Amino acid sequence: MAEEGGGPRHRSVSPSSRPSTVRRPQLHSGSQLLEGLQAAEARLARLEAEREAALAEVTKLREAALAPAKQKSVVTAYALWLLCPLWPAYAFYLGRDVHCWLYTISLNGFLGIGWIIDGFCLPWYVADYNALPGYSAKAKQRMESRLSLGVVFSPVRLIFTYAMAFCFGFLVISLLESKTLDEVLGESQALNVRVFASLIAATMGASLMDRCVASVRTRVRPLMVLGFGALVASILLSGDSLKPEDGPTMVLSVSSFGIVAGCSQTRQFDLSRSPSRGTPSRLLPRMLLHGGGVLTTAGLAAAAVHLSESSHTGTSHELPKLLASQSGNAWQEIKDAFANRSFSSIWSDFVEAMRDPGADAASLLGIKRGASAAEIRAAHRRLARLHHPDKQSSATEEEHGAAEEMMRRLNNAKDVLLSELNSED
């Protein structure tokens, strides 16, 4: 139909009614999404494998850089072992200065027993000092093996660790045997001070001795070890029949078992404890440090004997008689402490003290303790897909909170295991 002017009639079109030229996103099918996810995981696995290879190369180069310029000889080590039975010169020769100091003050490993054990371990110690390429992996595998020298001599190590822990703790108790301390703090508080100071000293002695007896490049966690000893001491101190005059030595003698258990539970391989790099390079400073340590220990022991003889508080130098008369009281105190508490509370305290974060983390992720970083991350991703709060859309508020707590535990487990790997590297 035409308008009055004779021209055609044009119809106006609004912008909103024009066809859109914007392309809508193409929807993918479930199979395409699955293929894309599998491809992404394959790329991630390749990257993890490349990372592991790079870490292995870094470890190899680091071992080559840290290797000593001059290698030690097994023949020389055995010559020093045979010619110097009264002083562990072989340990000093192999850079094991703490080993040499502890065996010197304990009469060459508690009357020569440690000296005999070291005769079997000298080739192992020499290999640890020389640290040829590939040594770290072999040393870690040897530590985890059930047929190594470290496992064979582990009973002796536990006995030596207990003996050194008790000696260090008893030395501190003897140095604190002053009536002035009782007058200032009171007998009960002075007892707690002596026990706590002796536990710290016992932890130090046990931690040092644990890495000397048939051991290379190992360490313990001193705070956890102290926690083991403090748990036993708290049970003893909670009894009513414990007397200040006989308390410190008796508590120490029993708490040292807890310290030994702590050393056994927290013991792990540490590549950074290289004897060739962990000691001064020059002989004179090492000799002065060793002599000073021996003389200081001898001076403290003499002062402790003098203070024990001048005081009459029960912890005198008559140690065998003292322990014989109080050994029964110690276990009676534990029995009484257990009787005053519920079994569940005692068991929860014991489990908490015995807990190893790394073992719990590996168990939560469902992998072995020595898993690689790729295995740790893969296990974490697999479990995160199942327990992530975003996957619980139809869950209740309580179930959503449980999922958040589970994710927190999974993230913490991954961080614990990865930090252990980084500390080993």
Side-chain angles (χ1 to χ4, degrees):
M1 188 174 181
E3 293 183 352
E4 293 184 355
R9 184 178 178 181
H10 297 282
R11 187 178 179 181
S12 62
V13 180
S14 63
S16 61
S17 63
R18 292 176 182 173
S20 176
T21 59
V22 180
R23 298 181 61 184
R24 295 181 179 179
Q26 186 178 5
L27 297 178
H28 296 277
S29 63
S31 60
Q32 290 176 330
L33 290 174
L34 182 59
E35 291 176 358
L37 179 61
Q38 291 176 349
E41 289 183 345
R43 288 197 303 272
L44 184 60
R46 287 196 301 271
L47 291 175
E48 291 289 351
E50 293 176 0
R51 181 179 179 274
E52 293 295 328
L55 287 176
E57 185 66 22
V58 168
T59 302
K60 183 178 179 180
L61 294 175
R62 184 179 297 169
E63 287 179 348
L66 294 178
K70 187 177 180 180
Q71 304 290 316
K72 299 297 184 180
S73 169
V74 177
V75 176
T76 305
Y78 268 113
L80 293 173
W81 178 77
L82 288 171
L83 297 176
C84 302
L86 300 180
W87 180 63
Y90 58 90
F92 198 82
Y93 168 71
L94 296 175
R96 301 170 66 90
D97 289 9
V98 174
H99 186 153
C100 184
W101 170 58
L102 289 178
Y103 274 33
T104 301
I105 63 176
S106 61
L107 301 180
N108 212 355
F110 295 100
L111 303 178
I113 299 175
W115 174 78
I116 296 174
I117 294 175
D118 284 346
F120 295 94
C121 301
L122 276 182
W124 188 15
Y125 297 162
V126 173
D128 180 55
Y129 183 92
N130 294 332
L132 298 177
Y135 168 77
S136 59
K138 294 179 181 178
K140 187 175 181 179
Q141 183 179 6
R142 187 187 298 113
M143 181 180 176
E144 296 174 352
S145 173
R146 297 184 179 181
L147 298 176
S148 64
L149 286 175
V151 175
V152 172
F153 291 117
S154 58
V156 181
R157 184 192 308 118
L158 295 177
I159 295 173
F160 277 26
T161 302
Y162 175 86
M164 191 57 67
F166 183 82
C167 289
F168 273 51
F170 185 74
L171 178 63
V172 170
I173 290 176
S174 301
L175 291 173
L176 294 178
E177 281 300 330
S178 173
K179 293 183 178 179
T180 305
L181 187 64
D182 296 331
E183 295 172 356
V184 173
L185 300 178
E187 290 186 349
S188 178
Q189 191 64 24
L191 171 63
N192 294 333
V193 170
R194 292 187 180 102
V195 169
F196 184 71
S198 66
L199 288 179
I200 294 177
T203 300
M204 183 181 71
S207 301
L208 293 176
M209 179 56 78
D210 181 83
R211 69 187 196 189
C212 295
V213 184
S215 300
V216 296
R217 305 202 187 195
T218 57
R219 66 181 177 90
V220 299
R221 299 180 179 179
L223 291 179
M224 292 187 66
V225 173
L226 181 60
F228 276 73
L231 174 62
V232 179
S234 63
I235 294 175
L236 292 174
L237 292 174
S238 62
D240 298 331
S241 59
L242 186 65
K243 299 178 181 180
E245 60 266 17
D246 61 7
T249 305
M250 183 265 288
V251 172
L252 175 65
S253 63
V254 181
S255 300
S256 295
F257 287 105
I259 290 175
V260 172
C263 290
S264 179
Q265 289 293 322
T266 64
R267 195 167 187 265
Q268 57 185 342
F269 181 76
D270 187 359
L271 179 62
S272 63
R273 292 188 177 275
S274 172
S276 60
R277 296 287 175 177
T279 54
S281 57
R282 295 186 178 183
L283 180 61
L284 182 59
R286 293 176 60 196
M287 292 295 295
L288 292 176
L289 186 63
H290 175 72
V294 173
L295 292 177
T296 301
T297 307
L300 291 175
V305 170
H306 175 73
L307 291 174
S308 297
E309 290 178 346
S310 60
S311 62
H312 303 282
T313 57
T315 43
S316 64
H317 60 285
E318 298 178 355
L319 180 59
K321 181 179 178 180
L322 178 66
L323 293 179
S325 62
Q326 295 176 354
S327 58
N329 294 335
W331 298 110
Q332 185 62 37
E333 288 294 334
I334 295 179
K335 183 178 178 181
D336 294 341
F338 278 13
N340 296 331
R341 298 178 58 189
S342 64
F343 178 78
S344 59
S345 64
I346 296 172
W347 179 252
S348 62
D349 290 345
F350 181 75
V351 171
E352 186 66 25
M354 294 286 289
R355 180 168 295 166
D356 184 0
D360 291 346
S363 176
L364 180 62
L365 295 180
I367 56 178
K368 61 183 181 179
R369 181 66 180 274
S372 63
E375 294 173 332
I376 294 171
R377 292 190 173 92
H380 176 267
R381 287 195 303 272
R382 175 175 55 82
L383 294 173
R385 294 194 194 101
L386 297 175
H387 301 285
H388 199 280
D390 295 343
K391 301 289 184 180
Q392 316 292 331
S393 57
S394 60
T396 62
E397 183 177 352
E398 182 178 352
E399 292 174 343
H400 191 78
E404 290 180 346
E405 175 64 20
M406 187 63 180
M407 280 302 303
R408 185 193 65 79
R409 293 178 58 197
L410 291 174
N411 293 333
N412 182 66
K414 182 187 71 171
D415 294 339
V416 168
L417 294 177
L418 291 178
S419 64
E420 286 186 355
L421 287 179
N422 294 331
S423 65
E424 292 176 2
D425 293 338

